[in-house]
Amino acid sequence: MKLIFLGPPGAGKGTQAERIQKAHGLVQLSTGDMLRAAVKAGTEVGKVAEKLMADGQLVPDEVVVGIIADRSQEADCANGYILDGFPRNVAQAEALDKMLAARGESLDSVLELKVDDKILLARIETRAAETEGGPRADDNADALKKRLDVYHAQTAPLVDYYTGKGLLKSVDGMKSMDEVTADIEAVLAL
Ligand code: AMP
């Protein structure tokens, strides 16, 4: 099974993807986590990504597409995976389609977590206050707001993109964490 979890920063995508992967034998592929590991390790990819990430901007498409193309072919992905934070724009979605088609594979579903901007902005302030000086250079209020703007401008069009392909399933991300997990399992028939 191949899934995409789509949603704005702070919607709880990563948390939900982690819960679902554990319960259903899938692997969570978070481009954000992989890029943060690359920055920490000081690799070439990390050097390209570091400043862009700290500013809340997207890392170049070819970098993330390459990461996903490699990682999704590793043995632990054989049973399926959840793409968390990828694709982030239509060009990445098209590259993913091409990659899967070349492998004779396809996506099963795209799960959208819907959360109002007002709630996200409140969560952003809380997260920025809680994590100041923490492990994520982009968890300050300015970068988080920038990430929300980037989401609306570049990532939200994917809702139409995947609706057009008949793959989109939406869940209210403003309920409790357990309710959201249950709704995701219901809507994906897991
Ligand atoms: P995330 O952990 O998914 O919120 O991602 C953190 C940051 O990593 C983003 O703000 C981007 O700078 C970068 N990033 C993660 N995934 C992608 C992607 N698919 N395309 C471009 N940049 C990404």
Side-chain angles (χ1 to χ4, degrees), residues 5-86:
F5 277 21
L6 198 64
K13 242 183 321 112
T15 308
Q16 294 296 340
E18 197 183 335
R19 288 176 156 208
I20 300 289
Q21 66 151 6
K22 275 194 193 135
H24 301 282
L26 302 169
V27 178
Q28 175 184 11
L29 302 185
S30 158
T31 40
D33 284 350
M34 291 184 248
L35 290 167
R36 277 184 287 281
V39 170
K40 206 170 160 196
T43 65
E44 285 308 310
V45 164
K47 282 177 199 151
V48 172
E50 188 166 14
K51 191 168 171 356
L52 292 165
M53 290 176 77
D55 287 346
Q57 298 184 58
L58 294 186
V59 171
D61 294 340
E62 61 271 21
V63 172
V64 286
V65 168
I67 289 176
I68 289 297
D70 291 345
R71 181 67 185 88
S72 61
Q73 276 188 309
E74 286 177 28
D76 61 339
C77 291
N79 191 40
Y81 46 81
I82 302 174
L83 296 173
D84 162 17
F86 177 92

